Amino acid sequence: MIIDCHGHYTTAPQQHQAFRDAQLARLADASLAAPAPAAISDDEIRESVENNQLKLMRERGADLMLFSPKASGMEHHVPDPETARVWARVSNDLVYRVVGLFPQYFAGVCQLPQTPGGTLDDATAELRRCVESLGFVGCNLNPDPSGGYWTSPPLTDEYWFPLYEAMVELDVPAMIHVSTSCNPSFHTLGAHYLNADTSVFMQLVQADLFDRFPTLRFVIPHGGGAVPYHWGRYRGLAVRIDRPDPSEHVMKNVFFDTCVYHQAGIDLLHRVVPADNVLFASEMLGAVRGVDPETGIAWDDTKRYVDRADLTDEQRHQVFEANTRRVYPRLHARLTAEGR
């Protein structure tokens, strides 16, 4: 079985974005009425998925995708908590409907209603709702709700502990995923996403978060940002600041995905990071679309790259299936109950 641990509903019907636009318009003009969530039919949802993610999954050989709302559309920089609550709920409910229409192919991962400097009460409540009532198997966690200005404390700070306690209780991991960049110095897809992946890893190296939460699990996407390429730097810095080696201190709880869009990058990832810590993913219909003119391979057809990597059959099984089932135990339980 081939499980893609990183997919977003980037092709949601346009009415969903129109609802968001109306939300933001009301924040700018309080005299406007609160908008109602968009009326979207099952047929419109089917069309949005069948002609996009599902079509490519079938063509490329993936069996199931962990599916969450559009990452850049989470827009956690918008400071109003009620707007964030409603937007997260509506976005997650739409993903739930996708899963309900295509249960063989999708499992839900939720957006959290974060705001800059806000409490995590709403995020924790939405996580519980999505896991306990909607059957979701994980969440996306934004370490920088400000959108590129990094006003939040590091993920090792006590500020985040209420959410971690819920994650541990529910036995669900978080994918580290920022949203859109509001800082013109950081391109959303080419800089902000990778900055966050890399920065969070260093935060974890510097602290003892997993001593406090030994079963807490994070997936750092986009191949781990700069970490595999600079693995010697992180090991050397750990020695310099008198911290344990990251291999023992961090990597029991942290996993990287394969959203790396060229063969050399995938090869490096697998040479540096143990197969136990790599989860197959494409972020398909996400940041990088189209075909590499040098190879004729779609940038986000990451299965092709993993197929060509120097892995044993057992390691390939770990990357394609076993690791994701281990990191997302609720997914494993669901698939087992279905006989898969």
Side-chain angles (χ1 to χ4, degrees):
M1 186 175 190
I2 296 174
I3 304 172
D4 186 335
C5 80
H6 188 175
H8 300 295
Y9 197 5
T10 55
T11 59
Q14 59 84 26
Q15 303 99 297
H16 185 57
Q17 183 60 49
F19 167 70
R20 178 58 170 175
D21 294 342
Q23 272 195 316
L24 299 180
R26 185 169 186 264
L27 286 178
D29 182 355
S31 68
L32 296 174
I40 300 173
S41 70
D42 286 353
D43 285 343
E44 288 173 311
I45 293 175
R46 288 191 187 95
E47 182 180 5
S48 72
V49 173
E50 286 178 335
N51 294 331
N52 294 291
Q53 291 88 353
L54 190 53
K55 175 177 180 288
L56 292 177
M57 287 170 64
R58 288 167 171 161
E59 289 177 357
R60 297 173 182 179
D63 297 299
L64 184 140
M65 175 180 281
L66 302 191
F67 207 48
S68 65
K70 180 180 176 182
S72 62
M74 296 188 296
E75 294 184 322
H76 292 133
H77 63 276
V78 177
D80 182 64
E82 174 62 17
T83 300
R85 281 193 296 271
V86 174
W87 179 233
R89 187 180 187 96
V90 169
S91 297
N92 291 329
D93 286 349
L94 196 58
V95 167
Y96 175 67
R97 291 180 63 189
V98 172
V99 175
L101 291 169
F102 302 100
Q104 182 178 350
Y105 296 102
F106 296 100
V109 170
C110 66
Q111 169 181 329
L112 299 177
Q114 298 177 243
T115 55
T119 74
L120 292 173
D121 293 347
D122 291 338
T124 302
E126 181 64 7
L127 175 67
R128 291 188 178 279
R129 182 185 80 91
C130 287
V131 173
E132 296 176 336
S133 299
L134 305 186
F136 282 28
V137 301
C139 64
N140 289 337
L141 175 60
N142 187 346
D144 174 36
S146 70
Y149 292 98
W150 290 90
T151 58
S152 294
L155 286 188
T156 51
D157 189 86
E158 291 184 2
Y159 165 80
W160 302 96
F161 286 6
L163 180 65
Y164 297 161
E165 289 166 358
M167 288 171 55
V168 168
E169 177 190 340
L170 296 168
D171 202 13
V172 295
M175 176 170 281
I176 304 302
H177 214 306
V178 289
S179 188
T180 192
S181 173
C182 302
N183 187 330
S185 296
F186 302 128
H187 185 275
T188 295
L189 306 176
H192 186 42
Y193 281 16
L194 304 182
N195 290 349
D197 303 334
T198 308
S199 297
V200 164
F201 187 84
M202 190 61 199
Q203 292 173 7
L204 299 174
V205 169
Q206 290 176 274
D208 296 310
L209 180 66
F210 301 123
D211 288 348
R212 172 73 178 258
F213 298 101
T215 61
L216 186 67
R217 301 180 300 282
F218 292 138
V219 178
I220 299 183
H222 318 117
V227 175
Y229 188 72
H230 289 287
W231 188 247
R233 172 178 288 261
Y234 293 103
R235 293 187 66 232
L237 286 173
V239 171
R240 181 174 180 177
I241 62 177
D242 197 26
R243 303 298 299 158
D245 190 292
S247 295
E248 291 298 319
H249 180 54
V250 174
M251 298 303 286
K252 294 177 182 178
N253 303 77
V254 172
F255 307 85
F256 299 160
D257 76 13
T258 64
C259 291
V260 180
Y261 300 125
H262 64 136
Q263 190 66 51
I266 287 287
D267 292 343
L268 173 70
L269 174 66
H270 289 299
R271 284 200 301 270
V272 173
V273 178
D276 283 349
N277 292 86
V278 180
L279 278 57
F280 174 68
S282 68
E283 202 175 16
M284 185 249 289
L285 292 187
V288 185
R289 308 186 192 189
V291 174
D292 183 342
E294 293 183 0
T295 65
I297 299 173
W299 299 107
D300 57 9
D301 187 359
T302 52
K303 181 178 180 296
R304 296 276 291 272
Y305 306 134
V306 176
D307 284 340
R308 297 176 181 185
D310 185 19
L311 298 172
T312 66
D313 290 344
E314 175 58 27
Q315 288 172 330
R316 214 176 306 278
H317 171 67
Q318 288 178 275
V319 171
F320 278 139
E321 178 181 359
N323 291 342
T324 301
R325 294 178 78 129
R326 176 166 52 91
V327 174
Y328 292 83
R330 286 180 176 265
L331 174 68
H332 176 62
R334 177 189 136 182
L335 293 175
T336 301
E338 295 170 354
R340 293 201 278 171

